Amino acid sequence: MSPRPAKSARPAPPSPSPAPAPAPAPTLPDGDAADGGLQADAGRLTMADLAAKAQVSIITVSRALRDSPAVREDTRRRIQELAREMGYRFNATARNLRLQRSHTIAVVVDMTPSPERPMSGPFPLDLLGGICQELTVAGYNVLLTTGPSQPAAAVQAADGAILLGQGADDTAVRQLLPMGVPLVVWGAPQPDMGSGATAPVFVGSDNHQGGALAAARLLETGRRRLVFLGDTHHRENAERLHGFTQTLAAAGAALVALAPCDFTFNAGVAAVRGLLATTPGGFDGIFACSDAIALGAMRALTEAKLTVPDDVSVIGYDDTPMAAFNTPALTSVHQNWTEGGVRLAQSVLALINGERPGSLILPTRLVVRAT
């Protein structure tokens, strides 16, 4: 018998072709992304599912969910309602990673609170109100930090920083500058704080004008021997003194005393008690760098049996509610802190977006009352 022919070896099956790599997510204009900073709470829904359901493009979905005016209002409402039905929610972490931003602004308050100078006063609350109003509308969070220590962690984790109060001798500003974040400062501009992109932007009231207004009013009421109460190591106070003395000198009036003191009622009391004991010839007008100092000065004058304004006129600064409620009501220089807060926020957002806004000085005005 002839042997059976050997079986032919079966040819090896062809190797499967490698799976095509997934297409990269589309890059969308104006900060859009394929994930749009959104995610589904459950299941494996994608933005493409939402776009297909709404019969629009992924770009349109992304913009509509961010409430962009680039999408018609009726389309935005329809897509947003559909997103709610499908269980989508905004994913801030995804957006921030994509943009390499935290969408947080650190607000540093350079102020050590005390029973005499609480943080519940117009400074810093009115400034904070304007800041929060503007940043909330822009989609940013506010991280508030206070205290005498350097707030490095809070500032370095933020996209930008706002400093309320530049500190005596600009100490607070100099602490924050090395951190390298966009910085805006409430206070008086300081030209030697760096240049270009590294320099802070300053927003503040016109302190020189405020001092000049106070001097003009005291001169108008016949006062010629004036004193100044405030710590001129603070640049804002130094500018108030400059405006005050320039106006006095032009009218031939004299600054007979300058008493450094803190921004408190008791500091005003102590300063005027000292001046009453040590100023030859006395004085007939006081300009104080805060309403609290001015009210303390009035207390010391009353203790000395002097009448305000018959014997001594007094002008404060800040136009706080206690100035209006005091008896007699205190004349004071008004600065618009809420507007200042809005401008601080606008400036830091401009810096974050690569713009270079100039420093801004807001006008002051004198509110004339009974003193």
Side-chain angles (χ1 to χ4, degrees), residues 168-331:
D169 298 317
D170 302 310
T171 302
V173 185
R174 298 182 193 279
Q175 286 181 334
L176 294 178
L177 273 177
M179 298 185 193
V181 301
L183 176 62
V184 182
V185 181
W186 173 259
Q190 169 60 305
D192 66 354
M193 288 288 180
S195 60
T198 62
V201 171
F202 288 85
V203 175
S205 293
D206 192 335
N207 293 286
H208 186 279
Q209 179 191 45
L213 289 170
R217 175 60 183 173
L218 290 169
L219 293 169
E220 181 185 330
T221 57
R223 310 303 171 173
R224 288 296 181 271
R225 294 179 56 80
L226 292 309
V227 300
F228 179 93
L229 307 182
D231 182 359
T232 55
H233 286 96
H234 290 268
R235 190 168 298 275
E236 291 169 287
N237 288 351
E239 291 199 355
R240 293 168 195 176
L241 175 62
H242 189 215
F244 189 67
T245 54
Q246 270 194 335
T247 306
L248 294 184
L255 180 70
V256 298
L258 189 160
C261 60
D262 199 3
F263 295 95
T264 65
F265 178 90
N266 283 337
V269 173
V272 172
R273 284 175 179 167
L275 290 173
L276 289 170
T278 60
T279 307
F283 49 88
D284 57 9
I286 293 174
F287 175 40
C289 280
S290 78
D291 288 346
I293 296 173
L295 294 173
M298 291 169 65
R299 169 68 63 83
L301 293 170
T302 300
E303 291 174 351
K305 310 301 183 186
L306 295 171
T307 303
V308 177
D310 295 339
D311 298 315
V312 182
S313 291
V314 180
I315 294 179
Y317 211 98
D318 295 335
D319 188 27
T320 56
M322 61 183 175
F325 297 152
N326 189 68
T327 303
L330 175 66
T331 296

Side-chain angles (χ1 to χ4, degrees), residues 55-86:
Q55 297 185 332
V56 296
S57 69
I58 295 175
I59 294 175
T60 301
V61 170
S62 176
R63 289 175 173 170
L65 293 174
R66 289 186 296 107
D67 217 24
S68 168
V71 180
R72 289 189 332 188
E73 184 179 356
D74 58 338
T75 303
R76 289 203 308 268
R77 286 201 304 266
R78 180 169 63 86
I79 293 172
Q80 290 167 2
E81 179 61 31
L82 187 58
R84 283 191 290 271
E85 293 174 1
M86 296 178 69

